[in-house]
């Protein structure tokens, strides 16, 4: 399957390769710097050992022409006096720092380049050396030397000593830096060769690992595309056996599909039930009108009005449910539940059983006055339909909750049906008559409104419907 350059796999491989490259470059630079420092330190140590060996010979009284000097190829050595005249020079050493040096008897040799005085002290006697002593201090400096016609870079060590006659001599011995540079160059070349190969391996491994990790994601995508094309919401995406993020993604996707399938099925049932409920009053109204056209004396005006009112209420209920399903937010107004109960009860003049107000605590909630009034009206209609002789409404406060209870002395709701009665178009067996049972939307609307207001609506023991809403403020 063709992959776009900007795919997750490509970005992961490029990112991992870039990170590893930066890390390797930083580590390689550090290794080279440490290696170079160590090799320079070793070269300085070798030159210091050679310089001290020659200085020790001078301190013990060995004549300058008889000094045992190391091979110039290994350690070029130049011994000078206080005036910079060469007292002794190693074999094959022709020049130091570009100035020619020749060996000879004391006082008869050419001047050699004086070594840099790192401590900046111009007083040569400040060392306090006595005859036959070697200075403990040593100075290191870099320079060049011509050994048998070959000029190279060296690390020089400068040591001072006094011979048995009290004359001070300066020994300058060097150690070649070429091996150090060759070693650093070899390591650098190895890194330059190995780094690209290692980056290729990192990119390839990252590419393969990412492909394997994302393979379930491709399966999920393909199945989702197939579900979209077929509109079969009963299908589910494959869930990997591993307990990782992709497996959780697959499970969440299947949960979303299950919720979507339930929602679609709910909407289908809603449309079917709404069509059924609308068909009965419309058919009845049409029949009455057709009979009235043919036989005006048989027109049942009260029946036609009743069917029209029922049709109007059903249309209003369906419109409210549609607004609730669309996520309509309730108005942010303050509603006094006790005052609302008194107002709604006073307007119900045609009830079969008068509504009796019980406890009436003044408590305010935030929400829509019309929607909460609709909830109370639906609960009272339900109580009127099932009560024997008493309907009671209480408003109390329980902590941060406002509680509205509607209770009747009817047979109550069976425990197994206490959740099902809040489903849309659900009517229990004793409430299926068209005139008594309604359309089965009242309690469903009441619960939906309660949930939209951040509350709950449930059936308690007996025939008590309890609405809980958060107290305003």
């Amino acid at each position: 399957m063709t992959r776009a350059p900007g795919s997750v796999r490509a970005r992961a491989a490029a990112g991992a390769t870039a990170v590893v490259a930066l890390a390797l470059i930083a580590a390689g630079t550090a290794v080279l710097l440490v290696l170079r420092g160590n090799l320079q330190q070793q070269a300085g140590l070798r030159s210091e050992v050679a310089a001290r060996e020659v200085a020790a010979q001078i301190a013990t009284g060995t004549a300058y022409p008889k000094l045992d000097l190391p091979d110039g190829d290994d350690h070029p050595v130049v011994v000078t006096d206080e005036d910079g005249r060469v007292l002794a020079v190693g074999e094959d050493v022709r020049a130091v720092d570009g100035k020619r040096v020749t060996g000879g008897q004391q006082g008869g040799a050419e001047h050699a380049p004086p070594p840099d005085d790192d401590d900046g002290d111009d007083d040569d006697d400040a060392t306090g050396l006595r005859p036959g002593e070697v200075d403990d201090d040593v100075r290191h400096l870099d320079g060049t030397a011509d050994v048998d016609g070959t000029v190279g870079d060296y690390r020089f060590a400068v040591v001072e000593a006094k011979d048995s006659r009290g004359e001070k001599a300066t020994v300058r011995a060097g150690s070649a830096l070429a091996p150090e540079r060759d070693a650093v160059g070899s390591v650098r070349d190895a890194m330059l060769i190995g780094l690209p190969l290692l980056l290729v391996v990192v990119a390839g491994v990252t590419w393969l690992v990412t492909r394997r990790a994302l393979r379930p994601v491709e399966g999920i995508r393909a199945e989702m595309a197939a579900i979209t094309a077929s509109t079969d919401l009963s299908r589910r995406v494959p869930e990997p056996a591993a307990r990782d993020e992709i497996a959780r993604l697959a499970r969440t996707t299947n949960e979303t599909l299950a919720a979507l399938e339930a929602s679609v099925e709910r909407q289908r049932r809603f449309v079917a039930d709404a069509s059924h409920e609308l068909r009965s009053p419309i058919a009845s109204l049409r029949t009455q009108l057709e009979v009235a056209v043919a036989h005006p004396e048989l027109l049942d005006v009260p029946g036609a009005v009743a069917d029209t009112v029922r049709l109007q209420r059903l249309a209003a209920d369906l419109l409210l449910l549609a607004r609730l399903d669309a996520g309509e937010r309730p108005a942010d107004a303050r509603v006094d539940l006790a005052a609302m109960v008194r107002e709604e009860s006073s307007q119900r003049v045609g009830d079969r059983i008068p509504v009796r107000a019980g406890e009436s605590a003044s408590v305010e909630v935030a929400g829509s006055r019309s929607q909460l009034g609709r909830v109370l009206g639906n609960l009272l209609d339900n109580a009127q339909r099932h009560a024997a002789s008493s309907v009671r409404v209480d408003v109390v406060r329980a902590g941060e909750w406002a509680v509205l209870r509607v209770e009747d002395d009817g047979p109550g709701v069976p425990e197994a049906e206490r959740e099902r009665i809040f489903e849309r178009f659900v009517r229990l067996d004793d409430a299926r008559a068209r005139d008594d049972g309604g359309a089965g939307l009242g309690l469903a609307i009441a619960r939906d409104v309660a949930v939209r207001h951040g509350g709950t609506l449930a059936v308690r023991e007996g025939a008590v419907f309890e609405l809980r809403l958060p107290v305003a403020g």
Side-chain angles (χ1 to χ4, degrees), residues 70-87:
D71 188 5
D73 292 333
D74 297 331
H75 299 290
V77 176
V78 177
V79 181
T80 60
D81 60 9
E82 293 180 301
D83 297 329
R85 290 176 298 181
V86 176
L87 302 177

Side-chain angles (χ1 to χ4, degrees), residues 23 71 85 106 150 189 229 257 280 294 321 326-327 395 397 420 433 441:
D71 188 5
R85 290 176 298 181
Q106 185 176 358
T150 302
D189 293 341
L257 289 173
S280 297
L321 285 174
V395 177
R397 177 166 180 169
R420 197 171 74 88
L441 293 177

Side-chain angles (χ1 to χ4, degrees), residues 61-411:
T62 303
Y64 293 106
K66 296 183 179 181
L67 291 175
D68 184 12
L69 302 179
D71 188 5
D73 292 333
D74 297 331
H75 299 290
V77 176
V78 177
V79 181
T80 60
D81 60 9
E82 293 180 301
D83 297 329
R85 290 176 298 181
V86 176
L87 302 177
V89 64
E91 184 180 0
D92 296 332
V93 179
R94 300 180 180 179
V96 175
D97 289 341
K99 295 184 178 180
R100 187 171 182 80
V101 295
T102 56
Q105 295 179 350
Q106 185 176 358
E110 297 180 3
H111 287 268
D116 296 334
D117 191 353
D118 292 339
D119 58 8
D121 190 357
D122 294 333
D123 187 2
D124 292 338
D125 295 332
T127 58
L129 291 177
R130 291 179 295 180
E133 288 187 349
V134 177
D135 193 357
D136 292 333
D137 295 333
V138 61
R139 290 174 294 159
H140 291 93
L141 49 92
D142 294 332
T144 60
D146 184 350
V147 179
D148 196 18
T150 302
V151 179
D153 295 326
Y154 291 83
R155 181 72 170 172
F156 288 97
V158 180
V159 177
E160 294 181 349
K162 279 190 177 182
D163 57 16
S164 59
R165 295 175 298 176
E167 295 181 358
K168 187 171 68 172
T170 301
V171 180
R172 184 175 182 179
S175 180
L177 294 177
E180 169 262 338
R181 294 178 179 175
D182 292 341
V184 172
S186 299
V187 174
R188 182 183 63 248
D189 293 341
M191 289 182 176
L192 292 177
I193 296 174
L195 178 61
L197 297 177
L198 182 59
L199 293 180
V200 170
V201 172
V202 170
V205 171
T206 305
W207 180 276
L208 295 176
V209 171
T210 307
R211 182 181 66 176
R212 182 174 181 181
L214 293 179
R215 188 176 300 161
V217 176
E218 177 60 23
I220 295 173
R221 187 208 63 78
E223 185 63 24
M224 287 295 295
I227 293 173
T228 303
S230 65
T231 66
D232 182 7
L233 296 179
S234 63
R235 299 173 60 175
R236 296 295 181 264
V237 300
E239 294 187 13
R243 297 181 178 180
D244 55 9
E245 293 82 355
I246 298 178
R248 291 195 293 271
L249 172 63
R251 286 193 293 271
T252 303
T253 302
N254 284 334
E255 292 172 0
T256 303
L257 289 173
L260 182 60
E261 181 185 14
S263 177
V264 171
E265 182 62 27
R266 180 183 180 187
Q267 292 297 326
R268 289 173 179 171
R269 289 199 308 268
F270 176 77
V271 172
D273 293 337
S275 301
H276 176 75
E277 293 294 334
L278 287 171
R279 183 172 54 190
S280 297
I282 291 176
S284 175
L285 185 59
R286 177 180 177 180
T287 300
Q288 296 181 53
L289 293 177
E290 289 177 347
V291 170
V293 171
H295 305 281
E297 70 280 2
L298 299 179
L299 176 62
D300 183 9
V301 176
V305 172
D307 286 337
T308 304
V309 171
R310 182 167 180 258
L311 186 61
Q312 181 182 13
R313 290 178 178 176
L314 181 57
D317 288 344
L318 294 176
L319 180 60
L320 178 57
L321 285 174
R323 293 204 307 267
L324 294 176
D325 288 342
E328 178 181 297
R329 296 180 59 86
D332 191 15
R334 289 181 177 268
V335 181
D336 189 331
L337 290 184
M340 184 184 72
V341 169
R342 290 192 297 268
E343 182 179 351
E344 292 290 332
S345 300
S346 64
Q347 296 176 0
R348 300 179 66 90
V349 295
D351 283 346
R352 180 174 61 89
I353 300 173
V355 177
R356 182 167 59 92
E359 296 184 56
S360 181
S362 180
V363 55
E364 290 186 340
V365 298
S368 170
R369 169 65 178 80
S370 62
Q371 290 186 10
L372 293 177
R374 184 66 175 276
V375 172
L376 177 60
N378 290 352
L379 294 179
L380 291 176
D381 290 342
N382 181 74
Q384 290 287 337
R385 189 177 297 115
H386 299 91
S389 60
S390 172
V391 176
R392 175 189 173 102
V393 181
D394 298 314
V395 177
V396 298
R397 177 166 180 169
E400 298 300 320
W401 294 93
V403 182
L404 186 150
R405 297 190 184 95
V406 178
E407 181 179 1
D408 63 77
D409 59 351

